């Protein structure tokens, strides 16, 4: 399948220190079957390593292995591995193909879809990067059997986001099925429900991205929960998982938008319930002041002309601000109140 | 003009330590006229600074200045400034516009045209980068009045390349006009001839790039002289100018291709004459062995499956290998002979 996506190419595998011991050998042996001795590049697991330094080190490993323009980078891992491998591929010799093999729910339904690649800097998340669509995304739901439950929960937060921005019935489906999706023992999970979540979310995200790859309008809907979410994730020193931060971000952004009359009353409560059913946090980590969260948001990519913009639903399943590029402005004072 | 290319944007100016003292104040005051206080980012002049570290430092300066997605990067300088600023723009917040204001002949007719951006690594030139087309290129031939003559000569090597790959009459024009193009005193130069060179080369390159932006075929013609040229430039520690190295590269590649019967006899001699008339070197720097030049070429982007490929004319004005994507293979032994 990889060979079909990138015929006659050489390959490099980028994985992380959690995933490589579990699945790299199998992938490398499959590549060996098609005659390819691919270098394996392992990065330390965790968002803290999604940096320009890691990107440069990966690039140098590819160059050391004498890979040329006819190379394909294969990402095997979660969101960080996909984002990093994607950015390496986007910039290696001015762009070579990337194939994603996501191993977390979040990466399957979010990071591997849509072509956003990038790294973090001290100023914030994903501030450096490129749009670079994968040549293929290979999703094997069985890989989730080894995923820690907390990571599965975090992935479900992005699925809830998909329901919240575009499909109320899907949102309700996730709430209803959360217990069976999140069984501690993978063998007790409802495989059909899990496959439905993956397929539904992937289709939904692909549809949005295909309509607006460069995020000039409709794609902004996918940023629901991310303006506040990115800031609290970063201020936690990435101790908080991306999905967890997005969950809290959705709740806080919806709360502020309700106060402004943009979002239907009761929406934030439904989001809170959904997060709680999924065992996800509903309060941001204590520590950073509301002011420091607001300040951090201002260096976010979604900041324009000094003011932060938000993508929020008008009610579960329908976005607000369709007439204004799916962007609404919320007064800093109201956001600060909600953050406090 | 910049404002027209990127309306309602904020700007950052990237220049180098040679050019900034000459022209940055004028540009910043023009930006101030449209209400923009643009940060000026000055990089040390020279290819040795075209690195990932410089790229990261420039990016951080933009972030420190609180520039967001609605920013445009303006390059003011030679090839290094254009390549660097272009790569910063390509990756800043996953891509913002870039406007080039080239100040060298080489940058006017080559680096600023075609969207190739990138930086060097220890493994070679431009191994990391992206395709990112400029929103505008503003060429003011008067800026060449302050350009050192050796830089003007080096730029003319790329113009000779344009003639050699696509237009024999243009090649002859440059040879004939070299003395008046290269007068020591800028006031004695033939302005019309110089403008003709700029316009002709820009049109020629734009035409090639428009037909094949991602260098799958026809654009490879522009690499004539660059396979050997990049290697000897890098092995000189960038003491040799890019244009000078490309000139010698054209001569050596044509010589090897003549021996292989790919290029018409006498072609290399015409290239040698043209380089000498323009006061450009016709031998590579002593020092590195033929073997080390060949080795260095193998980590070049133009290396495929272990063998180096070349783009060479079949005669002045016409490329060889049109049926094979404008790519010919030359035996390492023959190239080594020519390098020796």
């Amino acid at each position: 399948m990889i060979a079909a996506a990138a015929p006659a190419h050489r390959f490099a595998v980028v994985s992380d220190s959690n995933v490589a011991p579990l699945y790299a050998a199998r992938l490398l042996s499959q590549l060996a079957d098609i005659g390819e001795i691919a270098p394996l590049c392992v990065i330390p697991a965790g968002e803290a390593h999604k940096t320009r330094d890691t990107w440069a080190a990966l690039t140098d490993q590819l160059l050391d292995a004498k890979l040329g323009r006819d190379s394909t980078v294969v990402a095997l891992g979660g969101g960080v591995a996909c984002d990093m491998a994607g950015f390496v591929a986007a910039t290696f010799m001015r762009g070579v193909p990337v194939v994603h093999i996501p191993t977390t729910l979040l990466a399957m339904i979010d990071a591997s879809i849509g072509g956003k690649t990038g790294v973090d800097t001290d100023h914030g998340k994903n501030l450096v990067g490129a749009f670079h669509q994968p040549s293929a995304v290979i999703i094997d739901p069985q890989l989730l059997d080894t995923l820690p439950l907390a990571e599965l929960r975090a992935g479900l937060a992005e699925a809830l986001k998909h329901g919240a921005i575009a499909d109320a019935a899907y949102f309700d489906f996730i709430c209803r099925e959360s217990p069976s999706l999140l069984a501690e023992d993978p063998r007790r999970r409802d495989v059909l429900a899990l496959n439905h979540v993956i397929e539904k979310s992937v289709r939904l995200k692909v549809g949005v991205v295909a309509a607006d790859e460069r995020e000039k309008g409709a794609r902004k809907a996918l940023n629901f929960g991310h303006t506040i979410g990115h800031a609290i994730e970063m201020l936690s020193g990435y101790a908080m998982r991306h999905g967890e931060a997005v969950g809290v971000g959705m709740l806080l952004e919806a709360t502020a938008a309700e106060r402004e009359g943009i979002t239907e009353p009761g929406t934030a409560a439904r989001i809170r319930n959904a997060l709680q059913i999924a065992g996800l946090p509903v309060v941001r980590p204590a520590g950073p002041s509301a002011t420091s969260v607001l300040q951090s948001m201002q260096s976010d990519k979604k900041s324009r002309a000094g003011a932060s913009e938000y993508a929020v639903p008008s009610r579960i399943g329908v976005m607000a601000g369709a007439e204004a590029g799916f962007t609404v402005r919320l007064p800093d004072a109201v956001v600060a109140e909600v953050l406090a």
Side-chain angles (χ1 to χ4, degrees), chain A residues 78-80 82-83 100 102 104-117 134 158 205:
Chain A
V80 172
C82 290
D83 285 4
H100 290 308
T104 66
L105 179 59
L106 189 94
M108 288 177 186
I109 68 175
D110 189 28
S112 69
I113 311 291
K116 280 191 179 179
T117 75
E158 288 281 0
K205 181 159 184 189

Side-chain angles (χ1 to χ4, degrees), chain A residues 113-128:
Chain A
I113 311 291
K116 280 191 179 179
T117 75
V119 296
D120 309 329
T121 79
D122 290 343
H123 289 83
K125 268 184 68 101
N126 298 324
L127 294 176
V128 172

Side-chain angles (χ1 to χ4, degrees), chain A residues 20 27 79 160 166 213 221 223 254-255 266 280 335:
Chain A
L27 175 60
L160 283 168
E213 186 188 8
N223 291 330
T255 304
L280 286 160
V335 175

Side-chain angles (χ1 to χ4, degrees), chain A residues 161-207:
Chain A
K161 184 198 75 182
H162 291 148
I165 66 174
D167 191 330
Y170 178 47
F171 185 88
D172 291 336
F173 173 87
I174 300 168
C175 295
R176 203 167 55 237
E177 299 293 332
S178 272
S180 59
L181 291 166
L182 296 166
E184 182 89 43
D185 180 350
R187 286 165 303 179
R188 291 182 174 277
R189 285 179 202 151
D190 184 335
V191 174
L192 289 181
L194 191 56
N195 289 356
H196 178 72
V197 165
I198 294 170
E199 192 179 336
K200 187 88 191 168
S201 273
V202 167
R203 279 189 198 283
L204 201 147
K205 181 159 184 189
V206 165

Side-chain angles (χ1 to χ4, degrees), chain A residues 10-309:
Chain A
R10 291 196 59 197
F11 297 88
V13 176
V14 173
S15 191
D16 72 44
S17 52
N18 288 337
V19 172
L22 294 170
Y23 297 116
R26 195 197 298 178
L27 175 60
L28 291 175
S29 99
Q30 285 168 352
L31 287 169
D33 287 347
I34 58 168
E36 178 62 27
I37 309 301
L40 171 66
C41 311
V42 178
I43 58 179
E47 184 83 25
H49 300 281
K50 208 177 98 177
T51 61
R52 288 175 289 202
D53 286 346
T54 306
W55 162 80
L58 284 171
T59 300
D60 286 341
Q61 284 178 62
L62 268 54
L63 291 169
D64 287 341
K66 308 260 179 228
L67 294 189
R69 259 185 203 170
D70 56 346
S71 304
T72 288
V73 178
V74 182
L76 175 71
V80 172
C82 290
D83 285 4
M84 287 283 339
F87 188 48
V88 169
T91 55
F92 188 71
M93 312 244 165
R94 296 202 187 93
V96 298
V98 66
V99 170
H100 290 308
I101 306 178
T103 60
T104 66
L105 179 59
L106 189 94
M108 288 177 186
I109 68 175
D110 189 28
S112 69
I113 311 291
K116 280 191 179 179
T117 75
V119 296
D120 309 329
T121 79
D122 290 343
H123 289 83
K125 268 184 68 101
N126 298 324
L127 294 176
V128 172
F131 285 95
H132 191 59
Q133 295 296 338
S135 299
V137 181
I138 301 172
I139 298 179
D140 178 356
Q142 281 200 347
L143 300 183
L144 298 179
D145 288 357
T146 53
L147 188 69
L149 190 57
E151 295 289 343
L152 196 63
R153 293 185 201 281
L156 214 56
E158 288 281 0
L160 283 168
K161 184 198 75 182
H162 291 148
I165 66 174
D167 191 330
Y170 178 47
F171 185 88
D172 291 336
F173 173 87
I174 300 168
C175 295
R176 203 167 55 237
E177 299 293 332
S178 272
S180 59
L181 291 166
L182 296 166
E184 182 89 43
D185 180 350
R187 286 165 303 179
R188 291 182 174 277
R189 285 179 202 151
D190 184 335
V191 174
L192 289 181
L194 191 56
N195 289 356
H196 178 72
V197 165
I198 294 170
E199 192 179 336
K200 187 88 191 168
S201 273
V202 167
R203 279 189 198 283
L204 201 147
K205 181 159 184 189
V206 165
V208 171
V209 171
D212 174 28
E213 186 188 8
R214 295 298 168 111
E215 198 170 307
K216 304 294 180 199
R219 185 169 182 166
K220 289 185 185 164
L222 294 169
N223 291 330
F224 177 40
H226 282 64
T227 308
I228 291 178
H230 272 175
I232 62 178
E233 180 187 2
M234 189 178 73
L235 290 171
S236 80
Y238 300 108
M240 195 173 201
R241 289 178 180 82
H242 176 68
E244 294 169 346
V246 167
V248 175
M250 287 194 289
L251 176 55
L252 297 179
E253 291 177 14
T255 304
E258 271 189 35
R259 291 193 192 173
E260 285 298 293
I262 292 165
T263 298
E264 194 176 85
T267 305
R270 284 177 71 186
I271 291 170
R272 175 187 295 269
N273 286 345
L275 296 174
Q276 285 178 322
I277 293 170
L280 286 160
V282 292
V283 290
R284 69 179 183 92
S289 67
T291 312
S292 61
V293 177
L294 272 171
Q295 267 171 357
S296 169
M297 280 157 44
Q298 261 136 39
S299 68
D300 192 277
K301 290 186 301 308
K302 288 174 285 297
S303 165
R304 300 229 173 180
S308 275
E309 299 178 340

